[in-house]
Amino acid sequence: MICDMNTKTFWLCCWMGASALFVRAGNVVEQWGLFELTCHGPTNGNPFTDVQFSARFQAGGLSAMRSSSGSAVVQVRGFYDGDGIYRVRFLPDQPGVWSYETISTAPELNGLKGELTVVQPSASNHGPVRVAHTYHFAYADGTPYKPIGSTCYVWQLQPESLQEQTLQTLAASPFNKLRFCVFPKRYLWNTNEPVLYPFVGNPSATNWDFARFNPKYFQHLERRISDLQKLGIEADLIVFHPYDEGHWGFDRMPSGADDRYLRYLVARLAAYRNVWWSLANEWDFMKEKKESDFTRFGELVAQEDYAHHLLSIHNGSKLFNHTLPWITHASIQNGAAVEDPGRAEMYRGVYRKPVVYDEVKYEGDIESRWGQLSAEELVFRFWNGTVAGAYVGHGETYQSADQVLWWSKGGVLKGQSPARLAFLKSVLADAPPEGIEPIDRWQHPEYGGQAPDYYLIYLGKQSPSNWEFKLPKPPQGKGRPPADGMRFTVQILDTWNMTVTSVPGEFVLKKLDNYFYADKNGRSVPLPGKPYQAIRLRRLP
Amino acid sequence: MICDMNTKTFWLCCWMGASALFVRAGNVVEQWGLFELTCHGPTNGNPFTDVQFSARFQAGGLSAMRSSSGSAVVQVRGFYDGDGIYRVRFLPDQPGVWSYETISTAPELNGLKGELTVVQPSASNHGPVRVAHTYHFAYADGTPYKPIGSTCYVWQLQPESLQEQTLQTLAASPFNKLRFCVFPKRYLWNTNEPVLYPFVGNPSATNWDFARFNPKYFQHLERRISDLQKLGIEADLIVFHPYDEGHWGFDRMPSGADDRYLRYLVARLAAYRNVWWSLANEWDFMKEKKESDFTRFGELVAQEDYAHHLLSIHNGSKLFNHTLPWITHASIQNGAAVEDPGRAEMYRGVYRKPVVYDEVKYEGDIESRWGQLSAEELVFRFWNGTVAGAYVGHGETYQSADQVLWWSKGGVLKGQSPARLAFLKSVLADAPPEGIEPIDRWQHPEYGGQAPDYYLIYLGKQSPSNWEFKLPKPPQGKGRPPADGMRFTVQILDTWNMTVTSVPGEFVLKKLDNYFYADKNGRSVPLPGKPYQAIRLRRLP
């Protein structure tokens, strides 16, 4: 039989006998790249359910494999990709030689061994995103990752030209995360059938064989995940959603089919470093599922996913219990939580995890009140979340004669917020790598930063002509307090007009009272008397 | 040996031989009253640790006891009360004849049997408070309980005359819950030593025998819990607190001593129907305890407390995980969460339990910014919490030459908020028994009530001269929506000046748009143009 190793850039072959092993030189993949082992196996019966196929990966050469002093063995589930092709994919997390050995109930897929050489990642590859500093994110190589996400629920199931347009739009946008659904969606402005379906069956009869996946559907999904990866965009994949309501029935599969689908999805996608798992959109609106189903799903994904991708679940009106250990960050819909930074901070303390307000209503003009924010209001919400130490998501719902709304289908962006979110992104890129923390959350939630080195103070809808230079003590046990003599530069950020204005000279601290420090000469900061101003302070060495 | 049954109103005796049983007639206690069995036993060694003593209680007479078809057996731990006296206390939860049998490692305390007759509760006895309707409370007999709590941390450890004054003040106050500590407290304005100590030892050397309790200390605590019970006040007992910092060392006992103390406390107090357990005040400020210690404490109390009293834990700056199953309600300190109803609602959705903001800063004038709210601000915060479907706690910190601040020592109330909280209490007493729920939390959090029958709309610091009569649809799946033709009466509540003004005539609904109903004649409600107004709507049959 024939086995192919497919890496992102190399296609290689090995010939293996039942007991002999030949590995060609050049089986090379980047750290956090996608290694793929392709094998041919049985086509009779139902290969999706009849054949068990997986591989064990271990750092070190084959000669070291199974030695008692060897490194940890990673067991990775493979999957059937149709046409007699079986694949197992792997996301190696460290450079060097790795070895593998397959395990299968099919003899011809069992006991295949080989090596791969994992090389240093290329410049744009920082690995998967992880939680960092409790409330924030960083890529696996330590590079900070500060999500500016958007939502295009089923962009990849639209006509090809529209998909390409969406990718072009994304390339020019500030967005570095995109929420979208694995399954097709049926909802307002989105009642077209997809070109492909995830299962084998008869679409017109909605008669699906949930035990037989349609590999082409998932291959296409993978292509789009790769496209996003090239753009530096994390794919926040929505695994289940309620916008089916029995039309196809993917929202009400039997539990065995749900679990099989999850295993298949993880087997296919866990080697893509930019994948995040969002178990559901509006989980509580899925009438045919119980809360305990999602707990089972979460535990299953956490167990299957050897690569430990970020894992969360998005709510309608009922929050999921984000304190559960398998949830890496809180993905939250709340229509009001980022109306001020004091509110935006509250869930952080509850969950002690990153809080991503993935849905805070959308910029747009549709009749539904969740889709008619002004651009100013959405940008305002992003900034409130930012200084509260949380992250906010974008969506756009401008009415359109062609029924193409960004939020659902992608296409082009029509709103005014993305440019301002690019400005915010530039501010975040220049902020402390540890993330922005609330400084005085019960008194002055407008202060974010890393005390006493960096402050970002957001004045929101206030339009003062002057800001009293004052720095609060950070909360007990958080950050270092300010001190007399510390010197700061001040910049005024017009978050709507996207300007940065430096205030001449330095500000020098002097203790004001038990809670605050001010400038020793009583200087304050002149402001333009317009809304949406922020003040950035940096401490001089 | 001699055994006494002590009920709240009856003192009775029985004489028991080692195998014979004689029960006097008249061994009667109210449902949810305190039944006490008093026995004499060993005094040698350390009776607190050497003797195990408990009793099994079962509904039904002795003849039925242990029959396989019998009712559930409740095993209740007894305790040593000094001077050779052992007691076991029981809170019977249903009327009828009950039987009991003791179990002990001391032969003379083992196998004692008897019966008690549990009669209907008296008019003021509604049983212990339980969670009701997910976010609210009711007594065991179904009577709604709507907490208006206050805090006097160590009132019961002050001079006797001050304790009596505190009780008199409470009797004339609106408060129906009081937070206070079991252990003495040492903090600002509160550095006097207590008259009694909870353990045997040498106070000046802070040399305690944590294995020997001081029964007089706990007897006194019980007297004060009974005093509060007579006033209809729940005793929200703080079991551990950080305001010791090693001065006595009750904040840093070994884990065995902590657990023994918890078992002793539950054995002594669980039969008092007005007891709530607050595992700690500012748990995260207890430097010598880990979070896992409090989890252990909570599990222990939940297991020991057969009567299932309300059980929570209060935070400093770090919220405890109130999703844990043994936590009945979220007791929260947050200095900003009740600054508006939109914020106040947020923890409800997280915890799906009653949210009690036990500390929201205090009315007072001390230097610390947690103790300098105006009365107006504190009352404002209570109302924000109320329409958000949560509960808020009072505290008072007015500076005083005699160092007696209500918040710590009790005494008299000097502030302006209690009268307004009495007004709020009267509004709550007249509100739906199911509690007030937020009606439109992401859009108009000022609307609380039970749609479509009762609405309480709080306008806070706004001072409009007019209120547009508009009723929102309740959130998906919550309450019934309004409908055309529904008729309402309207009252204006001046929450500061404590007046209720009825608006003449009726308001009749007509659909306005997808989200709101208004008056069919476009009527609006005239307002006095002052802050702190609320509007109460009641649907006419």
Side-chain angles (χ1 to χ4, degrees):
Chain A
M1 50 78 56
I2 289 177
C3 246
D4 303 321
M5 287 77 174
N6 177 358
T7 69
K8 298 293 290 175
T9 45
F10 297 81
W11 280 259
L12 299 148
C13 287
C14 66
W15 292 263
M16 296 180 187
S19 60
L21 172 75
F22 308 90
V23 180
R24 277 226 190 151
N27 190 13
V28 173
V29 63
E30 285 184 14
Q31 183 179 3
W32 306 306
L34 187 154
F35 174 76
E36 183 174 276
L37 178 68
T38 302
C39 303
H40 292 264
T43 57
N44 59 316
N46 182 355
F48 293 104
T49 55
D50 297 349
V51 177
Q52 298 297 310
F53 176 54
S54 63
R56 293 197 185 109
F57 289 84
Q58 189 173 18
L62 272 173
S63 58
M65 206 172 186
R66 287 184 180 160
S67 78
S68 60
S69 61
S71 54
V73 172
V74 184
Q75 181 141 349
V76 181
R77 189 183 296 274
F79 62 94
Y80 183 62
D81 205 20
D83 301 323
I85 295 170
Y86 290 78
R87 300 185 200 275
V88 64
R89 289 175 178 162
F90 183 54
L91 183 79
D93 64 357
Q94 53 177 290
V97 175
W98 287 70
S99 51
Y100 63 81
E101 179 176 5
T102 65
I103 309 153
S104 179
T105 51
E108 64 268 49
L109 295 171
N110 188 45
L112 308 175
K113 296 176 190 175
E115 289 182 350
L116 57 147
T117 300
V118 178
V119 299
Q120 293 295 331
S122 54
S124 65
N125 171 4
H126 302 287
V129 174
R130 309 295 190 199
V131 172
H133 309 291
T134 306
Y135 296 107
H136 305 283
F137 300 99
Y139 294 98
D141 73 351
T143 305
Y145 170 77
K146 301 180 180 180
I148 302 272
S150 190
T151 298
C152 301
Y153 281 125
V154 281
W155 72 281
Q156 87 285 13
L157 297 173
Q158 305 312 312
E160 187 75 11
S161 60
L162 185 53
Q163 295 179 45
E164 293 300 327
Q165 187 183 49
T166 303
L167 286 169
Q168 286 164 26
T169 303
L170 286 168
S173 83
F175 303 121
N176 58 13
K177 179 167 87 74
L178 191 68
R179 301 197 315 126
F180 63 104
C181 304
V182 176
F183 285 143
K185 178 183 177 223
R186 189 178 172 82
Y187 197 72
L188 292 176
W189 297 282
N190 186 180
T191 51
N192 50 325
E193 288 289 311
V195 180
L196 291 165
Y197 295 92
F199 298 99
V200 172
N202 180 350
S204 57
T206 65
N207 181 17
W208 307 105
D209 183 350
F210 294 134
R212 288 180 190 267
F213 299 98
N214 177 5
K216 288 194 170 32
Y217 188 88
F218 293 93
Q219 288 159 10
H220 176 71
L221 177 65
E222 288 155 9
R223 181 157 70 92
R224 291 319 188 186
I225 290 170
S226 289
D227 290 337
L228 294 176
Q229 188 180 102
K230 286 173 200 143
L231 297 175
I233 296 173
E234 301 294 302
D236 197 355
L237 276 180
I238 297 164
V239 175
F240 291 99
H241 68 71
Y243 325 110
D244 179 319
E245 296 190 334
H247 175 70
W248 302 292
F250 306 143
D251 61 338
R252 57 199 66 194
M253 299 190 292
S255 61
D258 284 339
D259 293 358
R260 191 186 308 114
Y261 158 64
L262 287 170
R263 289 195 188 92
Y264 191 73
L265 201 66
V266 174
R268 292 200 71 111
L269 301 182
Y272 290 82
R273 64 176 174 270
N274 62 325
V275 161
W276 299 22
W277 311 115
S278 177
L279 281 185
N281 213 64
E282 299 189 325
W283 71 270
D284 49 316
F285 293 168
M286 293 192 72
K287 299 188 187 78
E288 306 292 322
K289 296 282 174 242
K290 296 188 191 126
E291 188 163 4
S292 57
D293 289 321
F294 294 103
T295 305
R296 188 180 86 246
F297 298 161
E299 289 169 352
L300 188 154
V301 170
Q303 186 174 34
E304 290 283 311
D305 178 14
Y306 65 90
H308 308 301
H309 291 273
L310 292 170
L311 172 54
S312 192
I313 178 168
H314 166 278
N315 62 286
S317 67
K318 192 171 182 179
L319 284 166
F320 205 80
N321 180 3
H322 292 296
T323 68
L324 292 174
W326 50 266
I327 297 186
T328 56
H329 64 288
S331 169
I332 289 177
Q333 172 174 198
N334 186 308
V338 282
E339 286 184 14
D340 71 62
R343 286 189 197 183
E345 183 278 332
M346 288 174 66
Y347 290 136
R348 282 177 31 118
V350 169
Y351 299 124
R352 306 185 204 163
K353 292 176 183 178
V355 171
V356 184
Y357 291 104
D358 274 308
E359 198 173 338
V360 299
K361 303 181 181 173
Y362 300 128
E363 180 184 352
D365 62 1
I366 60 174
E367 276 195 16
S368 302
R369 55 190 187 178
W370 49 260
Q372 50 179 239
L373 292 186
S374 68
E376 287 86 347
E377 179 67 24
L378 182 57
V379 175
F380 167 72
R381 290 171 176 223
F382 264 81
W383 274 87
N384 285 331
T386 297
V387 297
Y391 298 94
V392 182
H394 164 272
E396 188 184 287
T397 48
Y398 282 106
Q399 292 186 52
S400 191
D402 63 3
Q403 299 274 306
V404 177
L405 280 64
W406 173 261
W407 140 87
S408 182
K409 296 179 179 174
V412 295
L413 284 162
K414 299 166 185 168
Q416 301 303 306
S417 67
R420 279 78 190 179
L421 301 182
F423 178 77
L424 170 60
K425 192 181 188 184
S426 73
V427 172
L428 290 175
D430 202 26
E434 300 82 5
I436 290 171
E437 289 289 309
I439 304 281
D440 194 18
R441 59 200 175 100
W442 289 353
Q443 322 290 334
H444 296 93
E446 70 272 22
Y447 284 81
Q450 284 283 342
D453 298 325
Y454 176 96
Y455 295 84
L456 197 59
I457 302 131
Y458 181 55
L459 303 179
K461 294 179 184 176
Q462 301 172 59
S463 304
S465 57
N466 197 61
W467 180 73
E468 189 184 347
F469 185 93
K470 266 173 70 174
L471 294 185
K473 287 199 299 190
Q476 200 171 2
K478 303 261 178 131
R480 285 161 295 141
D484 280 357
M486 285 180 173
R487 300 176 306 130
F488 289 85
T489 61
V490 176
Q491 291 174 306
I492 300 164
L493 313 183
D494 185 323
T495 67
W496 183 255
N497 294 307
M498 301 174 280
T499 60
V500 177
T501 308
S502 292
V503 178
E506 297 173 10
F507 290 73
V508 182
L509 290 194
K510 187 171 191 305
K511 187 172 179 177
L512 185 66
D513 57 30
N514 273 344
Y515 295 108
F516 278 97
Y517 285 73
D519 178 63
K520 71 172 182 181
N521 299 316
R523 279 186 78 190
S524 61
V525 176
L527 291 173
K530 291 189 287 188
Y532 309 127
Q533 307 299 304
I535 298 158
R536 181 164 62 188
L537 311 183
R538 291 181 203 272
R539 187 156 76 87
L540 291 165
Chain B
M1 50 80 54
I2 291 176
C3 247
D4 305 319
M5 287 78 174
N6 175 359
T7 69
K8 298 293 293 175
T9 46
F10 297 83
W11 280 258
L12 298 150
C13 288
C14 66
W15 293 264
M16 297 180 186
S19 59
L21 172 76
F22 308 91
V23 181
R24 277 224 187 151
N27 191 13
V28 173
V29 64
E30 287 183 12
Q31 183 180 4
W32 305 308
L34 187 154
F35 173 75
E36 183 174 276
L37 178 68
T38 302
C39 302
H40 292 264
T43 57
N44 58 317
N46 181 356
F48 292 104
T49 55
D50 298 349
V51 178
Q52 298 296 311
F53 176 54
S54 63
R56 292 196 186 109
F57 289 85
Q58 190 172 17
L62 272 173
S63 59
M65 205 172 188
R66 288 184 179 161
S67 78
S68 60
S69 61
S71 54
V73 173
V74 184
Q75 182 142 350
V76 181
R77 188 183 296 274
F79 62 93
Y80 183 61
D81 204 19
D83 301 324
I85 296 170
Y86 292 76
R87 302 185 199 275
V88 65
R89 289 173 177 161
F90 182 56
L91 182 80
D93 64 357
Q94 54 175 290
V97 175
W98 286 71
S99 49
Y100 63 81
E101 180 177 4
T102 65
I103 308 152
S104 179
T105 51
E108 65 266 50
L109 295 172
N110 188 47
L112 309 175
K113 298 177 188 174
E115 289 182 351
L116 56 148
T117 300
V118 177
V119 298
Q120 293 295 329
S122 53
S124 65
N125 172 3
H126 302 288
V129 174
R130 309 293 191 199
V131 171
H133 309 291
T134 307
Y135 296 108
H136 304 282
F137 300 99
Y139 294 99
D141 74 351
T143 305
Y145 169 78
K146 301 182 181 178
I148 302 271
S150 189
T151 298
C152 301
Y153 280 123
V154 280
W155 72 281
Q156 88 284 11
L157 297 174
Q158 304 311 312
E160 187 75 14
S161 60
L162 184 53
Q163 294 178 46
E164 292 301 327
Q165 188 184 46
T166 303
L167 286 169
Q168 287 165 26
T169 303
L170 286 168
S173 83
F175 302 121
N176 57 14
K177 179 167 88 73
L178 191 67
R179 301 196 315 126
F180 62 105
C181 304
V182 176
F183 284 143
K185 178 184 178 226
R186 189 177 174 82
Y187 197 73
L188 291 174
W189 298 282
N190 187 181
T191 51
N192 50 326
E193 288 289 313
V195 179
L196 290 165
Y197 294 92
F199 297 100
V200 172
N202 180 348
S204 56
T206 64
N207 180 16
W208 308 105
D209 183 350
F210 293 135
R212 288 179 189 267
F213 299 97
N214 176 5
K216 288 193 169 33
Y217 188 88
F218 293 93
Q219 288 159 10
H220 176 71
L221 176 65
E222 287 154 9
R223 181 157 71 90
R224 291 320 189 188
I225 291 170
S226 289
D227 290 337
L228 295 176
Q229 188 180 99
K230 286 173 202 143
L231 297 175
I233 296 172
E234 301 294 301
D236 196 355
L237 276 180
I238 296 163
V239 176
F240 291 99
H241 67 71
Y243 324 110
D244 179 318
E245 297 193 330
H247 175 70
W248 302 293
F250 307 143
D251 62 339
R252 58 198 64 193
M253 300 190 293
S255 60
D258 283 341
D259 293 357
R260 191 187 306 116
Y261 158 65
L262 287 170
R263 289 196 187 92
Y264 191 74
L265 201 67
V266 174
R268 293 200 70 113
L269 301 182
Y272 290 82
R273 64 177 173 270
N274 62 324
V275 161
W276 299 22
W277 310 115
S278 177
L279 282 186
N281 213 64
E282 298 188 325
W283 71 270
D284 49 318
F285 293 169
M286 294 191 72
K287 299 186 188 80
E288 306 292 322
K289 297 282 175 240
K290 296 187 192 122
E291 188 161 3
S292 57
D293 289 322
F294 293 104
T295 305
R296 188 179 86 246
F297 298 161
E299 289 169 353
L300 189 154
V301 169
Q303 184 174 34
E304 289 283 311
D305 178 13
Y306 66 91
H308 308 301
H309 291 273
L310 292 170
L311 171 55
S312 192
I313 179 168
H314 166 278
N315 63 286
S317 66
K318 192 171 183 178
L319 284 166
F320 205 79
N321 180 3
H322 293 296
T323 68
L324 292 175
W326 50 264
I327 297 186
T328 56
H329 64 288
S331 169
I332 289 178
Q333 173 174 195
N334 186 307
V338 282
E339 285 184 14
D340 71 62
R343 286 190 197 184
E345 183 277 334
M346 289 174 65
Y347 291 136
R348 282 178 30 118
V350 170
Y351 298 124
R352 307 185 204 162
K353 294 178 183 179
V355 171
V356 184
Y357 290 104
D358 274 308
E359 199 173 338
V360 298
K361 301 183 181 173
Y362 299 128
E363 179 185 353
D365 61 1
I366 59 174
E367 276 194 17
S368 303
R369 56 191 186 178
W370 48 260
Q372 51 180 238
L373 292 186
S374 68
E376 287 87 346
E377 179 67 24
L378 183 57
V379 174
F380 168 72
R381 290 172 175 223
F382 264 81
W383 275 86
N384 285 331
T386 297
V387 298
Y391 298 94
V392 183
H394 164 271
E396 187 183 287
T397 48
Y398 282 107
Q399 292 186 52
S400 190
D402 64 2
Q403 298 275 305
V404 177
L405 279 65
W406 172 262
W407 141 85
S408 181
K409 297 179 179 174
V412 295
L413 285 161
K414 298 165 185 169
Q416 302 301 307
S417 68
R420 279 77 189 180
L421 301 181
F423 178 77
L424 170 60
K425 192 181 188 183
S426 72
V427 172
L428 290 174
D430 203 24
E434 300 83 4
I436 290 171
E437 289 289 310
I439 304 282
D440 194 19
R441 58 200 176 98
W442 289 352
Q443 322 291 334
H444 296 94
E446 69 273 22
Y447 284 79
Q450 284 284 340
D453 298 326
Y454 176 96
Y455 295 84
L456 197 58
I457 302 131
Y458 181 55
L459 304 179
K461 293 178 185 176
Q462 300 172 59
S463 304
S465 57
N466 198 60
W467 180 74
E468 188 183 348
F469 185 93
K470 266 172 71 175
L471 294 186
K473 287 200 298 191
Q476 199 173 1
K478 301 261 179 131
R480 285 162 295 141
D484 279 357
M486 285 181 174
R487 301 177 304 131
F488 289 85
T489 61
V490 177
Q491 292 173 306
I492 301 164
L493 313 182
D494 185 322
T495 68
W496 182 253
N497 294 307
M498 301 174 279
T499 60
V500 177
T501 307
S502 293
V503 178
E506 296 172 10
F507 290 73
V508 181
L509 290 195
K510 187 169 192 305
K511 188 172 179 175
L512 185 66
D513 57 30
N514 273 344
Y515 294 109
F516 278 97
Y517 285 73
D519 178 62
K520 71 171 182 181
N521 299 315
R523 279 185 77 191
S524 62
V525 176
L527 291 173
K530 291 189 288 188
Y532 310 128
Q533 307 299 303
I535 298 158
R536 181 164 62 189
L537 311 183
R538 290 180 203 273
R539 188 156 76 88
L540 290 164

